[in-house]
């Protein structure tokens, strides 16, 4: 695999780098999503929408850029290098592709423009109490009543549902069918009577996830994607895209760079931590694994460029990507030591306040705790191992 960029690709990289430097909102630099308002989160989205760069991975006819796989790779690398706030994936990378792939023309015209502009904020109604890893056992039901479905049940770990305008939701429409064969894919307006959103405060102190309760929620039948009882097919398609995106190779490379800077400043008996044998070995092992993951990601992108969607290899990206993310945050906590106990909020400061610990260490513990979720969401890593065993190894 030739990893070198052509002159045209290098020129594209320079264009992207300059655009980010000149247009990324300065007030977002260094911000953590858990501390940001809805409007803050959407600022970069709207800049990219105006430029026409908000969905490089979509087909051109639906608003995509027409970039090559290499250009999209460069785009991700440059955003990681500049540490921009990642765009929310729920509309752009999850339900949007489902709608333009499986939805009818009316649904495409109705929903895709709001996803592109950011005017419609989406959340994901998949996991339920008792139906997380075993998603096909979900119990939220939808009963057809004339031109509507009446939905009853609950969803959990629903990220940023407190801000959402719409939810894409898996519901059981045939209780007598086999688990995967009785599920449908509904789009639900979050303003519909009967929907209650309750916060779940996670161990890092943030309000990122929620419980969502649905009681006699009336959903127009025209909001059904594809065929009734075929929702598991669309759900798997969505999860394949989600798992590929979870790998986070570019941002993990940036996180290692930051880790090395911290470990280079911290001393152990007068020697920088980064130069001690045990710690440098751990960092090297993570870097090697990340390099291997990057090649796997590039293979996946190359297959996609030939018209093949994410296959079982998406599970490999998900497993290794999230394990690496967790290992990097573990090493960051090890590097800063007792300073990880400092839970100071991000400072809106003129530079006069004293923050204990090495530069760049603030929020280390919050990041560590928040990253515990990565091996669970998008299908737990245990389930991904099962998928690989069955679909790749034929066990």
């Amino acid at each position: 695999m030739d990893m070198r960029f052509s002159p045209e690709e290098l020129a594209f990289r320079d264009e992207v780098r300059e655009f980010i430097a000149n247009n990324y909102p300065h007030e977002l630099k260094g911000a953590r999503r858990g501390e940001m308002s809805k409007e803050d989160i959407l600022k970069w989205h709207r800049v990219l929408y105006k430029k026409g760069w908000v969905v490089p991975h979509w087909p051109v006819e639906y608003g995509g850029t027409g970039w090559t796989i290499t250009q999209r790779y460069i785009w991700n690398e440059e955003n990681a290098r500049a540490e921009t706030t990642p765009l929310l994936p729920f509309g752009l990378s999850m339900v949007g592709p489902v709608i333009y792939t499986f939805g009818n023309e009316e649904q495409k015209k109705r929903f895709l423009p709001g996803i592109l502009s950011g005017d419609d904020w989406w959340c994901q109604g998949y996991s339920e109490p008792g139906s997380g890893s075993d998603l096909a056992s979900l119990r939220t039901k939808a009963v057809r009543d004339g031109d509507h479905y009446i939905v009853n049940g609950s969803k959990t770990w629903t990220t940023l549902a407190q801000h959402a305008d719409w939810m894409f939701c898996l519901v059981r429409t045939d209780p007598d069918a086999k688990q995967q064969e009785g599920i449908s894919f509904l789009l639900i307006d979050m303003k519909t009577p009967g929907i209650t959103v309750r916060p779940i405060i996670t161990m890092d102190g943030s309000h990122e996830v929620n419980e969502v309760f649905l009681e006699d929620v009336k959903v127009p039948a025209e909001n059904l994607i594809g065929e009734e009882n075929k929702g598991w097919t669309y759900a798997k398609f969505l999860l394949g895209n989600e798992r590929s995106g979870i790998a986070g190779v570019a941002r993990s490379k940036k996180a290692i760079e930051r880790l090395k800077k911290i470990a280079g400043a911290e001393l152990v008996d007068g020697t920088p931590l980064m130069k001690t044998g045990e710690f440098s070995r751990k960092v090297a092992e993570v870097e090697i694994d990340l390099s291997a993951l990057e090649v796997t990601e590039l293979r996946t992108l190359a297959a996609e460029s030939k018209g093949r969607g994410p296959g079982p290899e998406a599970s490999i990206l998900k497993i290794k990507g999230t394990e690496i993310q967790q290992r990097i945050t573990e090493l960051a906590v090890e590097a800063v030591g007792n300073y990880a106990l400092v839970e100071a909020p991000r400072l809106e400061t003129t530079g006069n306040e004293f923050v204990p610990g090495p530069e760049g260490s603030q929020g280390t513990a919050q990041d560590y705790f928040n990253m515990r979720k990565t091996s669970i969401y998008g299908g737990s890593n245990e389930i991904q191992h099962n998928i690989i065993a069955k679909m790749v190894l034929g066990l």
Side-chain angles (χ1 to χ4, degrees), residues 2-17:
D2 188 352
M3 302 285 287
R4 294 170 298 180
F5 294 139
S6 68
E8 293 78 15
E9 289 162 347
L10 290 173
F12 175 77
R13 184 197 63 186
D14 292 341
E15 178 188 0
V16 166
R17 188 172 293 181

Side-chain angles (χ1 to χ4, degrees), residues 75-375:
W75 170 248
N76 290 332
E77 286 280 312
E78 290 303 312
N79 273 274
R81 189 188 67 84
E83 297 186 281
T84 63
T85 300
L87 302 185
L88 290 178
F90 306 107
L92 301 177
S93 299
M94 296 184 188
V95 75
V98 170
I99 292 172
Y100 68 62
T101 302
F102 301 105
N104 58 43
E105 290 304 314
E106 184 177 343
Q107 289 168 336
K108 295 175 189 179
K109 292 177 182 178
R110 180 182 178 190
F111 293 110
L112 294 182
I115 293 173
L116 287 169
S117 66
D119 290 341
D120 292 334
W121 181 302
W122 288 80
C123 65
Q124 181 179 22
Y126 271 32
S127 294
E128 299 181 4
S131 298
S133 297
D134 184 16
L135 181 59
S137 68
L138 64 89
R139 291 174 292 178
T140 294
K141 64 179 181 179
V143 178
R144 184 69 180 257
D145 182 14
D147 294 333
H148 290 79
Y149 288 96
I150 307 301
V151 181
N152 283 277
S154 65
K155 299 292 178 178
T156 194
W157 310 121
T158 314
T159 302
L160 299 175
Q162 70 268 33
H163 300 315
D165 303 297
W166 286 85
M167 172 193 284
F168 54 93
C169 192
L170 293 183
V171 296
R172 188 161 300 285
T173 43
D174 186 350
D176 299 320
K178 291 181 180 180
Q179 283 188 342
Q180 289 91 339
E181 296 176 2
I183 293 172
S184 295
F185 195 106
L186 280 182
L187 310 181
I188 301 178
D189 187 337
M190 291 293 284
K191 296 184 292 294
T192 309
I195 297 178
T196 302
V197 179
R198 295 180 186 170
I200 299 174
I201 305 303
T202 51
M203 67 172 69
D204 66 342
S206 66
H207 174 199
E208 187 178 17
V209 291
N210 304 268
E211 297 176 284
V212 179
F213 299 91
L214 304 104
E215 184 176 356
D216 293 330
V217 176
K218 195 174 182 180
V219 180
E222 64 191 29
N223 289 5
L224 173 73
I225 293 293
E227 299 179 46
E228 186 174 278
N229 299 323
K230 298 295 184 182
W232 191 249
T233 298
Y234 318 137
K236 289 192 296 181
F237 172 87
L238 183 149
L239 286 170
N241 286 285
E242 180 184 8
R243 289 166 187 159
S244 299
I246 287 173
V249 171
R251 293 187 183 272
S252 285
K253 288 164 70 175
K254 185 66 179 182
I256 288 177
E257 180 183 318
R258 187 164 51 250
L259 170 64
K260 286 182 172 179
K261 184 177 180 180
I262 293 172
E266 289 295 282
L267 301 179
V268 178
D269 297 328
T271 300
L273 177 62
M274 192 60 222
K275 292 186 178 181
T276 62
E278 181 65 14
F279 192 85
S280 62
R281 178 186 63 79
K282 293 177 183 178
V283 174
E285 287 175 348
V286 173
E287 287 189 291
I288 291 168
D289 285 350
L290 185 59
S291 295
L293 181 66
E294 183 175 23
V295 173
T296 304
E297 182 180 54
L298 290 171
R299 285 199 204 101
T300 303
L301 293 175
E304 187 179 339
S305 70
K306 297 176 182 177
R308 298 197 300 270
E313 65 273 14
S315 293
I316 300 173
L317 294 174
K318 198 275 179 179
I319 293 170
K320 295 303 297 184
T322 56
E323 288 177 349
I324 288 169
Q325 291 162 26
Q326 291 179 342
R327 286 162 62 192
I328 293 170
T329 60
E330 289 166 5
L331 288 172
V333 169
E334 182 178 343
V336 302
N338 291 337
Y339 293 119
L341 300 174
V342 179
E343 298 292 333
R346 184 171 67 90
L347 300 175
E348 300 293 346
T349 170
T350 58
N352 295 322
E353 292 84 350
F354 172 72
V355 180
E359 182 181 353
S361 67
Q362 190 178 6
T364 300
Q366 293 98 318
D367 291 342
Y368 168 82
F369 286 127
N370 192 267
M371 280 293 174
R372 297 310 93 192
K373 69 189 178 187
T374 62
S375 54

Side-chain angles (χ1 to χ4, degrees), residues 21-73:
N22 293 336
N23 293 278
Y24 186 68
H26 70 277
E27 64 271 23
L28 299 184
K29 294 179 180 178
R32 285 184 169 81
R33 182 175 288 167
E35 303 165 350
M36 298 166 67
S37 68
K38 180 176 181 178
E39 283 306 306
D40 283 339
I41 293 173
L42 286 172
K43 283 179 180 177
W44 183 225
H45 180 126
R46 288 178 173 145
V47 169
L48 295 177
Y49 172 66
K50 184 177 179 180
K51 177 69 173 177
W53 286 2
V54 76
V55 282
H57 55 294
W58 284 23
V60 172
E61 60 265 34
Y62 299 121
T65 57
W67 290 347
T68 65
I69 291 296
T70 303
Q71 287 175 314
R72 285 163 49 188
Y73 173 80

